[in-house]
């Protein structure tokens, strides 16, 4: 069975500081990995995804993530956060297609303070 | 302007009753899904439909029945409600068959509280 672990339930950062959100996955096959974000009172939105190739993938709003097969990780980063980045971030694993369902982490709530 | 509409946003029900959660998508997608997020648990996949046909069902209880009257509708009927059914239910859609380019779009969710 596959699983996703986000060890940090909450992260607080100052505006302009860097951000890293950790994600570890467990899956015996080739993972399809995603980061989704949920802004207040909105549905989940895709930030970025990784299937293969360059382990560093770029997403929207300056976010990037790095895949590591050896560490079974897919950490999310942003060099300089803005207050509007306050949201809940979900690391997500897919087997091969959405019809079999996505596996979500618990999410990390990010609060950005001025 | 939301392209996936879930109704209602909030729903309070009594134990043993029956409710229907509505989901309509206006993205032209051919696949729709239901996910559930209970307190302190990750989002959990429930059902997937493609072209109005059930593709996968990860929900053990038959009390949860998806209903697809139109290609862009996937409602969720829940019978004999229990307090443990309290959760936020998310509807999602995608254009199936695009392989690595497939992307899931989510609605805002329906928060169900069973008393």
């Amino acid at each position: 069975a596959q699983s996703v672990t986000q060890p940090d339930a909450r992260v607080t950062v100052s505006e302009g500081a860097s951000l890293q959100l950790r994600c570890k996955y467990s899956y015996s096959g080739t993972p399809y990995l995603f980061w989704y974000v949920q802004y207040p009172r909105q549905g989940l939105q895709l930030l970025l995804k990784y299937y293969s190739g360059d382990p560093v993938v770029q997403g929207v709003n300056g976010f990037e993530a790095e895949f590591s097969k050896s560490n079974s990780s897919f950490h999310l980063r942003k060099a300089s956060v803005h207050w509007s980045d306050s949201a809940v971030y979900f690391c997500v694993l897919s087997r091969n297609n959405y019809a079999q369902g996505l596996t979500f982490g618990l999410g990390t709530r990010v609060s950005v303070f001025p | 302007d939301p392209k996936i509409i879930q109704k209602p946003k909030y729903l309070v029900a009594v134990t043993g009753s029956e409710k229907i959660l509505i989901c309509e998508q206006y993205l032209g997608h051919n696949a729709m899904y239901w996910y559930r997020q209970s307190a302190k648990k990750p989002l959990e996949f429930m059902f997937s439909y493609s072209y109005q046909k059930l593709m996968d069902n990860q929900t053990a209880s038959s009390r949860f029945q998806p209903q697809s009257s139109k290609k862009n509708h996937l409602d969720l009927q829940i019978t004999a409600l229990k307090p443990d059914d309290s959760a936020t239910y998310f509807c999602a859609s995608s254009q199936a068959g695009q392989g690595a380019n497939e992307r899931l779009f989510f609605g805002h969710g329906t928060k169900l509280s069973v008393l």
Side-chain angles (χ1 to χ4, degrees), chain A residues 32 34 36 38 41-46 49 51 90 95-107, chain B residues 33 35 37 40-45 48 55-56 58 90 94 99-108:
Chain A
Y32 291 65
F34 311 83
Y36 277 81
Q38 186 177 25
R41 294 172 296 282
Q42 295 188 30
L44 283 81
Q45 304 170 31
L46 181 67
K49 59 186 178 183
Y51 293 108
F90 295 93
R95 283 168 282 178
N96 51 15
N97 67 71
Y98 287 138
Q100 294 177 314
L102 303 175
T103 301
F104 281 76
L106 274 170
Chain B
Y33 315 84
Y35 282 80
Q37 186 175 32
K40 301 194 187 306
K41 291 184 179 179
L43 267 86
E44 172 191 19
F45 169 70
S48 62
M55 299 301 291
D56 201 356
Q58 294 294 325
F90 289 96
S94 70
N101 290 321
E102 195 168 336
R103 174 182 168 179
L104 214 60
F105 291 78
F106 285 84
H108 291 189

Side-chain angles (χ1 to χ4, degrees), chain A:
Chain A
Q2 64 274 11
S3 66
V4 175
T5 302
Q6 293 180 250
D8 304 309
R10 291 178 178 270
V11 170
T12 301
V13 292
S14 299
E15 195 166 24
S18 63
L19 174 71
Q20 175 168 283
L21 303 182
R22 296 180 291 165
C23 172
K24 299 272 283 186
Y25 69 90
S26 174
Y27 180 54
S28 58
T30 300
Y32 291 65
L33 294 159
F34 311 83
W35 277 96
Y36 277 81
V37 60
Q38 186 177 25
Y39 298 106
R41 294 172 296 282
Q42 295 188 30
L44 283 81
Q45 304 170 31
L46 181 67
L47 265 184
L48 47 78
K49 59 186 178 183
Y50 172 79
Y51 293 108
S52 63
D54 189 337
V56 178
V57 291
Q58 304 296 322
V60 299
N61 299 334
F63 284 93
E64 67 175 27
E66 184 167 5
F67 169 72
S68 171
K69 186 174 182 179
S70 59
N71 293 326
S72 298
S73 66
F74 190 54
H75 301 327
L76 180 71
R77 302 189 293 246
K78 186 170 183 178
S80 176
V81 295
H82 186 263
W83 65 266
S84 59
D85 293 322
S86 296
V88 182
Y89 293 79
F90 295 93
C91 184
V92 183
L93 168 72
S94 174
R95 283 168 282 178
N96 51 15
N97 67 71
Y98 287 138
Q100 294 177 314
L102 303 175
T103 301
F104 281 76
L106 274 170
T108 298
R109 182 176 295 277
V110 173
S111 299
V112 181
F113 289 92

Side-chain angles (χ1 to χ4, degrees), chain B residues 13-27:
Chain B
V14 296
T15 298
S17 67
E18 172 183 314
K19 293 294 180 185
I20 295 181
L21 280 57
I22 305 295
C23 178
E24 307 169 5
Q25 57 92 2
Y26 296 94
L27 294 162

Side-chain angles (χ1 to χ4, degrees), chain B residues 36-84:
Chain B
R36 170 174 56 194
Q37 186 175 32
S38 305
K40 301 194 187 306
K41 291 184 179 179
L43 267 86
E44 172 191 19
F45 169 70
M46 299 179 75
F47 301 98
S48 62
Y49 267 65
S50 182
Y51 294 98
Q52 294 185 267
K53 291 185 179 178
L54 179 67
M55 299 301 291
D56 201 356
N57 176 359
Q58 294 294 325
T59 302
S61 174
S62 59
R63 297 186 298 107
F64 294 84
Q65 291 292 328
Q67 299 171 342
S68 182
S69 59
K70 300 179 187 178
K71 178 186 169 186
N72 68 326
H73 282 232
L74 186 64
D75 300 335
L76 182 64
Q77 180 186 40
I78 314 174
T79 58
L81 277 160
K82 302 177 180 180
D84 279 352

